[in-house]
Amino acid sequence: MRALIPRFVILAILTPAALSAATPEQEEFFEKKIRPVLVESCYECHSSKKQQAGLRVDHIDFLKKGSENGPVLKPGDLAGSRIWEVLQHDPLDTQMPPDSKLDAAVLADIKRWIEMGAPWPASDVPATTEGAAVDWTQHWAFQPIGRPQPPETRNTAWPRTQIDRFVLAKLEASGMRPSDETDRATLLRRLKYDLLGLPPSFEEIQAFLADESPDAYEKRVESYLNAPQFGERWGRHWLDVARYADTKGYVFTEDRNYYDAWRFRDWVIAAFNNDLPYDRFIKLQIAADQFSEAPDDLHAMGFLTLGRRFINNKNDIIDDRIDVMSRGLMGLTVTCARCHDHKFDPIPTADYYSLYGVFDSCDEPKNEPSTLRLVDKERPSEPRVFLRGNARNGGPRVPRQFLEVVAREDRKPFTQGSGRKELAEAVANGDNPLTARVWANRVWGHLIGRELVRTPSDFGVRSDPPTHPELLDSLAGRLIDSGWSTKTLIREIVLSNTYRQSSRMTPDDEARDPENLLLAHMNRKRADFESLRDSLLAAAGNLDLTLGGKSVEISGSSTANRRTVYAFIDRQNLPEVFRVFDLASPDTHAPRRYETSVPQQALYLMNSPFALAQAQKLSARYEALEPADRVRELFRAVYARDPSSDEAAAAKDFIDAAPEPESADIASGWEYGYGAVDPDASKLTSFTPLPHFTGSAWQGGPQLPDDGLGWAMLNSAGGHVGNDLQHAVVRRWSVPADGRLAIRGELRHNTDQGDGVRGRILISGDGQRGVWEVQNRRQRTILSGFDVRAGDTIEFVTDLKGNLNHDSFEWKVRLTLDVAGVGIVESSSDREFAGPTPLPLKPWDQLAQTLLLSNEFQFID
């Protein structure tokens, strides 16, 4: 193994450095959950106009400074934050806000905000006066899209396309030069991943290297653009924008699944494959019922209807639809104006409620041909401004109309039904300065590895300016002029010399432009989760390329072999593997994928049943070959190249030195199931293992609730009880040796809804040892030392007290077994939580796994 290390470099395990500034996700949480509360409940007495008790709460600096009585906020320290104390409305203490205590959900958000370090947007400058606002009319994103001519360059040989002249002119102005073209094998690998999300095969690369025709590369570009996998790759990009999921989130009085969600996903894939003009692509997703008579096009409105249901709070659902439409399509944070005029951008609260009125004038019919669709109500809504975002505090009426910042003096109220059709036409209009720019910027980012505007869903006055503004306008203008053809835009980018550059950074590049803002070389790209998983399946010869169809559960299965774009996305219980590999959160619109390098990624590739199964299948493909031939074919399957002589020798040494796996049982001693407790609560009348592991939880099947076992589920922290007393969830631990056992734990129920849960500890042969009931509180579950024998089982049983309602729970326990002559044996329910025990790898399997773990496999170039 030691000889392999220099060549097979394992993915680095890095701990992200702590950041002092708020992350984009934290900023979004603050803007949606915290700032509106401060505005509505605190600003009247504690802002720039008035500072009762010397306190201002309209900026983090003022909160940390505090009032005349001292600091009120210690980020990260809930107990040390005076603001948290006064929010509790203790009758013996100051009570804020004075009129009434904040709702429990709002308090939970504030608690989370303080504990995460009270993040506050770094660019938020505290107001000192009611001074003049920024002159938004001069902001670059609100100007008409120009058609700039490419600049002249000193080097006239390098540019292949207009794109190259824009890039080269900036490089020359900075005294820099572009990199050489990358090698052809790397270029083909880059192209296929970017267009199809899949690796090229060894034979594919060899055919390309042997093709000496002058248009060899251009032919591959056309081949990939016309391949059915193109829509799968680019459709997944769009699903991030559309916050796609197959479930609604936490709803209780209705089915939590979107059974037709996959039809929207398949419509998106087909739209990209057919190069549906982007303007029509947008119009159908907002108002297909008014633009098309084709039944399949009605699925397009899943763009609006597949968001979170917020326990069916209509106002939050509409807010989500405004957000995905405005940020996703136009790069405007319109929902910041829900409670007050936008703090930075020219979006008054009145404009927010104009759009609110459009979506409030629509219903979701429950009949076919599509359960994803919207239809206009017979009588459109006449919206009012909700003062400070409070639906019970209606302000002036506003017309249903488009945003003034875009429509300017041409703005007129919508008159056709809800106004959705007119809204769609306004968004997808070539005169709209935002829509084409936003999409051209997203396409550039997917292909080049970094956007021209680094805030792809925020083109407002706080956005990062484009690194190449003329290039962005050129791309957006040609997108419109080409008939809004996404494939034409992609084709132009991938044919450019800018795209074909090597990704190697020279010392001069690093010194002059460490972030590669001027594009002196190609950005290195690591495979995202979908590409990585699909590549594992492809290398193993196990990838199912069937197009379309219902979503499939992939997280807890070692045999699921559909492309990852078809994965079932559970918004409420998103499997941990998706989070670990940075899948876009389906809870809200995602501006981009954020890349991390964390230990869990390497651990998944080394230990997950799925990754181990692919290594075994890869090894088995060539088990009939002689060792040298087998090594060669493994390299071709994983890297699409032959091994060097040193690599082949190192692989042989690895196989010769690798021991055969031991067959010892490596189970942790924990089992996960369900059963019923007999009437006198002395023992379980039955125990049945939960049959399905999702990758982060044991449950009845891939979806919750399961048709047979309902809500019964166990995860590392706790779980959810079953639907009745015959389906109590059971976490069972087998005692490994005679000794004296002590148990410490804490049972939690974290909501004031429902009647809580009941937890029991049962000892086989000895009956019940403890029972605890909790509702919206925590209870320590402690048993002092008692004697047990090897083979006894300790059963942690949780069931509903009476009603099935908000019965999620947390129950972590620590077991300490004192074994005479041996010492202390400890076990932890959360640290030792695990899925099925995988089969051990044989030497050739281990070699296959080592190849799949390498950077060469996991990075695109």
Side-chain angles (χ1 to χ4, degrees):
M1 180 64 180
R2 191 174 302 163
L4 284 175
I5 293 295
R7 195 61 188 173
F8 308 131
V9 182
I10 304 302
L11 177 67
I13 298 178
L14 303 175
T15 302
L19 300 178
S20 57
T23 66
E25 293 87 349
Q26 290 173 333
E27 284 200 21
E28 181 177 349
F29 178 81
F30 172 80
E31 295 291 1
K32 285 199 166 187
K33 299 294 187 181
I34 305 303
R35 194 194 293 275
V37 178
L38 297 177
V39 171
E40 179 177 357
S41 302
C42 310
Y43 272 24
E44 184 175 350
C45 300
H46 303 286
S47 64
S48 59
K49 293 183 178 179
K50 182 179 180 182
Q51 299 91 45
Q52 188 169 317
L55 175 65
R56 286 180 64 173
V57 301
D58 52 347
H59 193 269
I60 188 68
D61 291 347
F62 300 132
L63 281 164
K64 290 192 288 187
K65 179 182 178 182
S67 68
E68 57 194 26
N69 296 317
V72 300
L73 175 67
K74 291 185 178 180
D77 182 0
L78 190 70
S81 295
R82 175 64 177 154
I83 191 172
W84 178 249
E85 295 176 352
V86 301
L87 292 176
Q88 306 312 305
H89 270 229
D90 186 330
L92 301 179
D93 195 0
T94 302
Q95 299 177 1
M96 290 292 166
D99 296 337
S100 62
K101 186 178 180 180
L102 296 174
D103 291 343
V106 175
L107 288 172
D109 290 334
I110 294 174
K111 178 176 182 287
R112 179 183 170 194
W113 176 66
I114 295 173
E115 290 177 337
M116 71 170 64
W120 197 288
S123 57
D124 195 353
V125 179
T128 55
T129 67
E130 297 298 311
V134 175
D135 183 6
W136 60 267
T137 62
Q138 302 304 309
H139 182 57
W140 64 268
F142 303 145
Q143 308 310 310
I145 296 172
R147 305 299 194 273
Q149 291 299 310
E152 297 297 327
T153 59
R154 294 191 296 274
N155 180 345
T156 59
W158 186 76
R160 287 178 184 265
T161 68
Q162 293 188 26
I163 289 172
D164 296 329
R165 290 169 61 184
F166 286 106
V167 172
L168 182 59
K170 280 227 165 191
L171 287 172
E172 290 181 341
S174 299
M176 300 176 67
R177 59 181 297 274
S179 297
D180 295 334
E181 185 172 328
T182 193
D183 65 273
R184 297 187 76 196
T186 298
L187 181 60
L188 190 69
R189 178 177 171 85
R190 178 188 299 168
L191 181 72
K192 190 168 183 182
Y193 267 114
D194 283 344
L195 268 55
L196 306 185
L198 294 169
S201 67
F202 173 80
E203 293 76 17
E204 199 172 356
I205 287 181
Q206 293 305 306
F208 179 56
L209 295 178
D211 188 347
E212 298 180 355
S213 61
D215 61 344
Y217 177 67
E218 286 77 4
K219 288 187 294 187
R220 269 64 181 185
V221 170
E222 295 307 313
S223 173
Y224 293 159
L225 284 173
N226 292 310
Q229 290 75 38
F230 172 83
E232 294 173 326
R233 174 62 169 170
W234 283 80
R236 182 58 251 187
H237 291 324
W238 189 256
L239 298 183
D240 287 4
V241 173
R243 84 288 188 231
Y244 174 85
D246 292 277
T247 63
K248 301 171 183 177
Y250 197 91
V251 293
F252 193 76
T253 59
E254 64 177 272
D255 192 333
R256 65 188 295 271
N257 295 294
Y258 287 123
Y259 287 103
D260 272 354
W262 62 274
R263 298 186 188 277
F264 169 68
R265 180 204 61 217
D266 284 3
W267 180 87
V268 169
I269 290 172
F272 277 105
N273 275 334
N274 295 329
D275 198 20
L276 184 69
Y278 184 67
D279 59 340
R280 184 164 179 79
F281 181 68
I282 288 174
K283 291 175 182 177
L284 292 177
Q285 290 180 85
I286 296 176
D289 57 321
Q290 300 177 50
F291 283 105
S292 174
E293 297 181 359
D296 284 351
D297 280 342
L298 296 178
H299 305 317
M301 287 184 285
F303 178 75
L304 295 174
T305 60
L306 288 179
R308 282 185 64 195
R309 286 309 164 102
F310 304 95
I311 318 183
N312 281 324
N313 182 310
K314 181 186 76 170
N315 297 327
D316 287 341
I317 292 171
I318 291 177
D319 184 75
D320 169 70
R321 291 174 180 174
I322 294 173
D323 183 63
V324 74
M325 183 274 298
S326 61
R327 282 202 298 152
L329 305 181
M330 296 187 295
L332 283 180
T333 55
V334 172
T335 55
C336 291
R338 180 177 180 178
C339 304
H340 52 82
D341 290 349
H342 199 295
K343 193 171 180 66
F344 303 100
D345 292 335
I347 305 170
T349 306
D351 276 12
Y352 174 90
Y353 287 98
S354 289
L355 297 180
Y356 176 97
V358 172
F359 294 112
D360 192 35
S361 301
C362 307
D363 279 328
E364 296 175 55
K366 303 303 179 183
N367 300 322
E368 290 294 340
S370 173
T371 59
L372 304 176
R373 67 184 296 195
L374 289 174
V375 295
D376 287 357
K377 295 178 181 178
E378 289 187 12
R379 297 185 62 182
S381 166
E382 297 183 12
R384 290 181 179 271
V385 172
F386 296 162
L387 299 178
R388 297 183 179 177
N390 187 343
R392 297 185 295 273
N393 191 8
R397 293 191 183 278
V398 292
R400 286 169 287 107
Q401 60 187 355
F402 197 44
L403 302 169
E404 183 181 11
V405 65
V406 179
R408 303 288 181 96
E409 63 276 0
D410 295 332
R411 183 165 68 158
K412 296 178 181 177
F414 296 148
T415 59
Q416 301 176 34
S418 68
R420 263 187 311 119
K421 182 179 181 181
E422 294 157 286
L423 174 63
E425 290 171 332
V427 173
N429 192 307
D431 292 331
N432 184 327
L434 294 165
T435 304
R437 281 191 178 112
V438 167
W439 182 233
N441 188 57
R442 293 195 196 282
V443 172
W444 180 271
H446 290 312
L447 294 170
I448 302 299
R450 191 169 290 174
E451 300 88 355
L452 295 169
V453 180
R454 305 305 168 89
T455 51
S457 293
D458 183 2
F459 276 34
V461 297
R462 294 175 65 213
S463 65
D464 286 351
T467 57
H468 297 69
E470 294 82 7
L471 172 56
L472 179 59
D473 266 22
S474 177
L475 294 172
R478 289 204 296 283
L479 170 66
I480 296 170
D481 297 342
S482 69
W484 296 84
S485 167
T486 295
K487 286 189 177 182
T488 296
L489 179 61
I490 292 173
R491 181 184 294 109
E492 182 170 359
I493 295 172
V494 300
L495 290 178
S496 70
N497 259 344
T498 301
Y499 179 83
R500 301 190 204 194
Q501 290 182 100
S502 167
S503 60
R504 292 179 180 175
M505 178 184 283
T506 67
D508 184 61
D509 292 345
E510 188 169 11
R512 290 171 176 262
D513 183 18
E515 295 186 72
N516 195 32
L517 299 178
L518 300 179
L519 302 171
H521 58 86
M522 186 62 167
N523 294 300
R524 290 192 71 195
K525 287 184 283 186
R526 202 170 105 197
D528 57 22
F529 175 60
E530 292 89 344
S531 293
L532 177 60
R533 182 179 176 275
D534 292 351
S535 296
L536 287 168
L537 289 165
N542 191 32
L543 179 61
D544 180 356
L545 290 176
T546 302
L547 287 172
K550 293 184 177 181
S551 300
V552 296
E553 175 62 55
I554 69 168
S555 60
S557 172
S558 62
T559 59
N561 63 351
R562 293 294 308 279
R563 287 203 72 178
T564 314
V565 69
Y566 299 112
F568 184 89
I569 305 295
D570 188 333
R571 179 174 272 125
Q572 181 183 345
N573 301 300
L574 188 67
E576 188 65 23
V577 64
F578 291 170
R579 301 182 189 275
V580 165
F581 283 96
D582 307 308
L583 188 82
S585 170
D587 274 346
T588 187
H589 159 75
R592 62 149 68 93
R593 293 283 180 95
Y594 296 98
E595 290 188 359
T596 61
S597 292
V598 294
Q600 293 90 332
Q601 294 167 357
L603 292 172
Y604 175 84
L605 294 171
M606 288 190 287
N607 300 312
S608 72
F610 171 78
L612 296 179
Q614 305 321 308
Q616 290 168 328
K617 290 179 182 295
L618 170 59
S619 170
R621 291 180 68 185
Y622 309 110
E623 63 182 347
L625 301 179
E626 293 296 321
D629 295 333
R630 193 172 184 182
V631 168
R632 183 191 68 238
E633 293 305 320
L634 286 175
F635 269 76
R636 289 181 173 182
V638 177
Y639 302 142
R641 64 173 179 83
D642 286 329
S644 68
S645 57
D646 289 344
E647 289 170 332
K652 181 179 182 301
D653 292 343
F654 178 87
I655 293 296
D656 292 343
E660 288 291 332
E662 297 180 2
S663 59
D665 184 9
I666 59 172
S668 67
W670 289 95
E671 298 176 83
Y672 310 94
Y674 65 94
V677 181
D678 71 355
D680 62 7
S682 64
K683 64 179 181 179
L684 285 174
T685 59
S686 64
F687 176 83
T688 305
L690 287 164
H692 184 82
F693 186 64
T694 68
S696 60
W698 286 97
Q699 54 196 48
Q703 303 177 26
L704 281 178
D706 176 68
D707 291 341
L709 300 185
W711 289 95
M713 181 271 287
L714 287 167
N715 56 33
S716 62
H720 196 291
V721 304
N723 291 21
D724 51 49
L725 295 176
Q726 284 68 51
H727 291 84
V729 289
V730 182
R731 197 180 305 260
R732 170 185 278 179
W733 186 69
S734 297
V735 178
D738 295 355
R740 191 161 183 81
L741 181 67
I743 300 174
R744 299 180 65 85
E746 184 177 79
L747 178 63
R748 298 185 183 185
H749 180 260
N750 295 325
T751 176
D752 59 0
Q753 301 184 64
D755 59 357
V757 300
R758 174 172 47 217
R760 295 186 176 98
I761 299 180
L762 307 179
I763 315 298
S764 62
D766 195 23
Q768 179 173 292
R769 281 296 185 112
V771 59
W772 301 268
E773 295 183 355
V774 292
Q775 195 273 330
N776 196 27
R777 67 186 183 93
R778 61 183 67 182
Q779 175 69 51
R780 298 176 72 187
T781 57
I782 300 176
L783 296 181
S784 56
F786 57 95
D787 292 334
V788 292
R789 299 183 63 83
D792 285 349
T793 57
I794 315 299
E795 291 154 343
F796 301 88
V797 183
T798 316
D799 61 25
L800 49 82
K801 287 170 54 181
N803 299 321
L804 181 66
N805 187 357
H806 290 81
D807 288 329
S808 293
F809 67 91
E810 295 180 16
W811 195 3
K812 299 178 183 179
V813 294
R814 304 286 186 271
L815 298 92
T816 304
L817 180 64
D818 189 351
V819 180
V822 175
I824 300 298
V825 176
E826 294 186 339
S827 185
S828 166
S829 65
D830 56 324
R831 289 199 303 265
E832 296 175 15
F833 181 80
T837 303
L839 295 174
L841 298 182
K842 298 176 182 178
W844 281 99
D845 303 334
Q846 294 174 39
L847 176 61
Q849 182 192 38
T850 302
L851 300 179
L852 295 172
L853 281 168
S854 68
N855 281 352
E856 183 174 348
F857 180 72
Q858 296 179 48
F859 279 80
I860 293 174
D861 63 330

